[in-house]
Amino acid sequence: MDRGSGFEAVFLDPVGQAVQQRWADAAMTVAFEELPPVSSFPVIPGRRWGPGLWWSATTGRHVAAGSNAMRTQLMVLDRDPEVTGLAGRPVRLLWREERGRVRSWVPQLFARYRDGTGLLADCPSHPEAGGDRALKAAEAVSEACEEIGWAYRRLFPLDDVPAANLKWLAGYRHPRNASRPGLMPAVVEAFARPRPLIEGAGAAGDPIEVLPAVFHALWHEYLETDLERPLHERVLVGPRSWGGPSRTGGLG
């Protein structure tokens, strides 16, 4: 279990029993995106936002989230077309230090990519969050992921404007916001060339009905806008890949 000879993984099986397995073997065979948290998120008195659930548009299921910072990163990953699965704290990694002491760490977030690889991530509220222990664990978990062709990242908070925009669009991520059959093609057609949001919505029909569909299309990137600027009724919206950057920087 030392870092020179490998890592161990601990996770819960389908009936809730803890399983310990060689990390390289578990990574090859275990669908971590299907698993519940191996340990619960802590409730910290005094914090304005505690553990909760995030409904994923990618999977149609809830993902455990431990903080507001983690929820924001879940939004980023849930919007990424390369992500196929998400889970909160599904695995604990174990390893030995040079002096033989066993160390462990539970990354906050797991994402499965379309090519089968995985991402383990933590979502600190600021670069120094967690102190020296978190930084040393990050080094170890990064090494474990590199061994199997995965990635580990500490995902830092988004800037205020893209975070607020993403939160707004996330409110329209559910399929119900696509509205009646036939409306979404009309919405996409209305923005076949870049134009102000309110003008395109009016061209597609009644803005009261159309705007939720426009926001749904922006979430799923059927349409694009610049999320680095505040959303408003005159913001330019255009077709996918028209040149108005729509991605956020949470995974940089």
Side-chain angles (χ1 to χ4, degrees):
M1 210 157 46
D2 62 84
R3 290 168 61 178
S5 61
F7 294 80
E8 298 281 322
V10 178
F11 53 91
L12 301 182
D13 66 16
V15 296
Q17 296 296 312
V19 176
Q20 184 168 329
Q21 190 174 340
R22 195 168 75 97
W23 164 241
D25 294 336
M28 289 286 291
T29 60
V30 177
F32 291 116
E33 63 271 32
E34 304 287 342
L35 298 184
V38 70
S39 63
S40 60
F41 286 97
V43 177
I44 302 177
R47 284 197 176 175
R48 295 176 60 187
W49 200 94
L53 296 173
W54 168 262
W55 184 84
S56 167
T58 299
T59 66
R61 299 193 302 269
H62 284 97
V63 181
S67 67
N68 193 41
M70 180 180 173
R71 184 180 66 171
T72 299
Q73 299 301 340
L74 277 170
M75 287 191 287
V76 174
L77 289 163
D78 201 15
R79 192 167 177 258
D80 187 337
E82 293 303 310
V83 171
T84 60
L86 293 164
R89 305 194 88 187
V91 61
R92 179 188 302 275
L93 270 71
L94 306 173
W95 65 94
R96 288 188 186 276
E97 293 184 329
E98 291 181 359
R99 297 181 179 180
R101 184 175 180 179
V102 175
R103 292 293 190 182
S104 73
W105 189 257
V106 184
Q108 290 178 299
L109 180 58
F110 172 78
R112 177 77 67 184
Y113 288 105
R114 196 174 301 279
D115 64 2
T117 61
L119 168 73
L120 290 176
D122 286 305
C123 309
S125 58
H126 56 86
E128 293 77 30
D132 188 57
R133 179 172 179 265
L135 294 178
K136 288 182 177 179
E139 180 183 336
V141 177
S142 181
E143 181 180 328
C145 288
E146 287 175 7
E147 287 181 359
I148 60 170
W150 287 11
Y152 168 81
R153 295 177 185 165
R154 278 167 61 86
L155 304 176
F156 298 114
L158 305 183
D159 291 338
D160 290 345
V161 170
N165 288 341
L166 193 62
K167 182 178 180 180
W168 176 266
L169 295 182
Y172 297 90
R173 68 192 184 278
H174 195 279
R176 63 175 173 265
N177 291 293
S179 193
R180 56 178 169 80
L183 180 58
M184 189 56 66
V187 166
V188 173
E189 178 62 26
F191 292 97
R193 60 173 178 81
R195 64 197 303 184
L197 170 64
I198 196 65
E199 289 184 11
D206 181 351
I208 293 177
E209 178 188 30
V210 172
L211 281 171
V214 174
F215 295 137
H216 182 78
L218 285 169
W219 168 268
H220 288 282
E221 296 187 274
Y222 308 144
L223 300 174
E224 290 190 358
T225 190
D226 185 355
L227 294 184
E228 298 296 323
R229 299 174 181 271
L231 288 175
H232 55 83
E233 66 177 12
R234 303 296 300 177
V235 70
L236 285 180
V237 175
R240 189 198 307 260
S241 302
W242 69 275
S246 67
R247 291 203 172 276
T248 54
L251 298 182

